[in-house]
Amino acid sequence: MALSFLLVACGGDDEEGTEDTSGEDTGTEEGTDEGSEGGEEAAGDFEAQEWRFVTEELPGEVQYEYAAEFANRIDEKTGGQIEVTPYEFGGLGSEVDQAQSLQQGAVELAVMSPGFTGGQVVEGQLFSLHFLFPEDQEQTQEILNTSEALNTDLRERYEEHSITPLAYWTEGAMNWTSNNGISAPSDFEGFNMRVQESPLMREAYNAYGAEVQALSWGELYTGLDQGTVDGQENPLFFINSAGFHEVQDTLTLSSHNNYVAMTTVNTDWYNGLDDNVKSVIDETVEEMQSWVFDEQKRQNEEALTAIEEDTENATEIIELTEEDRQAFVELATPVYDFYRSEVSEVDGAILDKLEEEIAEVTGE
Ligand code: 6CS
C-alpha cells in the first residue's frame, strides 16, 4: 500500500480561478459558524482535485478525526470539487517516513508531531523542553494560536525543509506510564524511556537520570510489554487508545509537557495554489483550532475515566504534589540553556521570543 500510495503523483493545482472565499460558510454536520461561501454554488469556483492528508493516528483518535473533519469542511466549501482523503497511521510507514512523504510531495497535507523531524528542523525541538508551556490548556492553546515565534519564525525554519506548519494545536498534557511508578526524578535512575526522533528528548530525560530509546509508536506497545523500554509519555487519550496502560502498572499525571501537533502542507504545493484555494485551506485550518481543542479535551477527559474504570488492567494513578513537580522543574530548566547553546542555530532566539509570549499570556 505504501508503494502505490507514493507512486501517485502529487495533486498540484494550476487552475486560473480568482474568486476569493471570504464570505459565508455553510458548515458541516459538526457545525461551523464561520468561513467561506460553501455549498453547490461554490463548485464552479474550484477545479476538481484530490488531496491526501496523512495522520500519525488511527480512526477515532484526535489527529485522524481532525483530518476527517477537515475533509468534510473542504468538501462542503468547494461544492464537492476538492476531495480530501484522510490516511491513518501505518500505510505509509513510520512517522518519520510520513514526514518525508510530505516533504517530497507524495502527500499534500499531514498532521505532524515536531518530535519526528527533530534531527532536521532543529529549532522545532523546543517542543521537547519540559515545563515550557503552562499547565492551563486554554492558555497553551492561546499561545499556540497567537505566537509569532511559532507561526512566523519557526514556520520559516520548517519551510526550509519543505514543510509549512499552518497551525499548532495541543493534543493534551503529557503523562508518564511506567511499572515502577514515577513521582521523583530518582525514579528515572536506570530507566529506559521511549522517545520520538528528537535528539533533545535525550537531554530532557538524561537530566532526570534516564536513558532513552527512539521508537515509532507502532512498536511501543510491544516494547513496553517485553521490557525493551520501561516507560513512555503521551496524552491520556492516546495512552488509553493505544492500550499502553495495559502493559504498564502506573500512570503519573505529570503534565510535564504538552503534546503539540502541527497541521502541515508541502511548501511548494501550497505556494503554488490559487488564492481562492489557499483561502479555503487557511480559513478551515483557523476555524478548526477551537474544534480540535474541544475534541482533544473531550477525548482526554473520557480516557482518564476509562483508565480508572478498566479493572481488567488496573493502573495506579499517581498525582504529583507541587513539591514533587518542582523537583522535576529544577532539573528540566538547564536543558533550555543546552537548547540555546548546543541545538539552536539562532542562539535560542525563537525560544526567547516564545518565552516572552508565554509570559504575556500567563502574566508571570
Ligand atoms: O507517541 C507517539 O509517537 C504518538 N503520540 C500521539 C499522541 N500521536 C501520534 C504519535 O506518533
Side-chain angles (χ1 to χ4, degrees):
M1 179 183 169
L3 186 63
S4 58
F5 193 65
L6 282 166
L7 287 174
V8 181
C10 167
D13 172 33
D14 54 5
E15 64 169 313
E16 295 298 320
T18 52
E19 191 156 327
D20 203 330
T21 56
S22 52
E24 291 300 303
D25 167 39
T26 57
T28 68
E29 69 251 0
E30 293 288 341
T32 61
D33 48 15
E34 48 193 301
S36 67
E37 52 204 63
E40 281 174 21
E41 69 274 20
D45 298 337
F46 298 96
E47 203 173 75
Q49 296 174 55
E50 291 178 24
W51 301 342
R52 300 159 196 87
F53 196 161
V54 70
T55 74
E56 300 166 336
E57 295 175 8
L58 301 178
E61 297 171 345
V62 178
Q63 289 189 13
Y64 185 91
E65 293 309 310
Y66 178 97
E69 176 65 17
F70 180 89
N72 284 341
R73 292 183 186 220
I74 294 290
D75 177 77
E76 186 81 29
K77 290 172 190 217
T78 65
Q81 286 294 94
I82 299 183
E83 188 185 331
V84 182
T85 306
Y87 285 88
E88 67 183 51
F89 176 71
L92 258 189
S94 70
E95 300 92 336
V96 175
D97 297 329
Q98 291 188 175
Q100 282 170 0
S101 293
L102 182 94
Q103 290 173 281
Q104 291 161 2
V107 300
E108 290 80 13
L109 301 110
V111 179
M112 198 182 285
S113 306
F116 293 111
T117 50
Q120 294 182 61
V121 188
V122 295
E123 306 299 329
Q125 293 184 78
L126 55 80
F127 292 111
S128 307
L129 296 170
H130 294 185
F131 306 103
L132 173 61
F133 289 95
E135 259 193 291
D136 182 312
Q137 297 290 291
E138 270 92 1
Q139 286 186 340
T140 289
Q141 189 56 57
E142 184 185 340
I143 293 157
L144 295 174
N145 288 347
T146 58
S147 164
E148 187 182 285
L150 300 179
N151 292 290
T152 301
D153 303 349
L154 187 58
R155 173 170 165 160
E156 284 169 10
R157 307 305 290 206
Y158 274 99
E159 287 181 331
E160 290 166 9
H161 299 267
S162 304
I163 300 166
T164 295
L166 296 177
Y168 303 85
W169 35 275
T170 180
E171 289 198 70
M174 288 211 274
N175 308 280
W176 292 312
T177 64
S178 68
N179 287 330
N180 58 329
I182 297 164
S183 56
S186 57
D187 296 321
F188 274 121
E189 292 292 336
F191 193 97
N192 193 16
M193 184 73 180
R194 176 268 171 170
V195 292
Q196 298 178 342
E197 298 281 342
S198 169
L200 194 65
M201 288 185 184
R202 176 179 301 279
E203 298 304 319
Y205 282 101
N206 283 174
Y208 303 144
E211 294 301 323
V212 300
Q213 186 169 333
L215 269 188
S216 163
W217 83 255
E219 299 167 58
L220 183 51
Y221 185 97
T222 308
L224 293 169
D225 196 23
Q226 296 182 347
T228 325
V229 286
D230 298 315
Q232 62 84 42
E233 57 177 8
N234 254 307
L236 292 168
F237 86 87
F238 200 72
I239 292 171
N240 180 52
S241 175
F244 298 143
H245 67 294
E246 296 169 9
V247 286
Q248 297 266 266
D249 294 336
T250 78
L251 164 65
T252 303
L253 300 177
S254 48
S255 290
H256 60 281
N257 199 355
N258 247 275
Y259 196 103
V260 173
M262 306 185 291
T263 306
T264 66
V265 287
N266 174 278
T267 304
D268 286 345
W269 171 78
Y270 175 76
N271 288 342
L273 292 172
D274 284 344
D275 286 348
N276 65 330
V277 179
K278 240 188 236 167
S279 297
V280 165
I281 294 177
D282 291 348
E283 72 171 25
T284 305
V285 167
E286 193 182 336
E287 74 197 21
M288 283 193 60
Q289 289 295 85
S290 60
W291 181 90
V292 75
F293 185 82
D294 293 344
E295 178 69 12
Q296 63 78 29
K297 188 165 186 274
R298 180 187 63 76
Q299 288 208 21
N300 281 307
E301 285 169 1
E302 288 177 8
L304 182 56
T305 308
I307 293 170
E308 283 168 341
E309 291 178 353
D310 185 356
T311 47
E312 273 180 38
N313 301 289
T315 306
E316 183 192 345
I317 313 268
I318 299 170
E319 295 191 42
L320 298 182
T321 63
E322 201 39 54
E323 203 183 337
D324 296 335
R325 215 175 134 75
Q326 210 43 47
F328 289 105
V329 172
E330 271 165 31
L331 293 171
T333 312
V335 183
Y336 292 36
D337 293 332
F338 180 89
Y339 170 89
R340 286 187 171 91
S341 61
E342 306 299 324
V343 175
S344 172
E345 293 166 345
V346 290
D347 298 327
I350 297 177
L351 175 60
D352 293 344
K353 195 194 264 192
L354 178 61
E355 283 192 307
E356 282 171 24
E357 292 167 340
I358 291 172
E360 272 168 36
V361 170
T362 59
E364 286 167 13

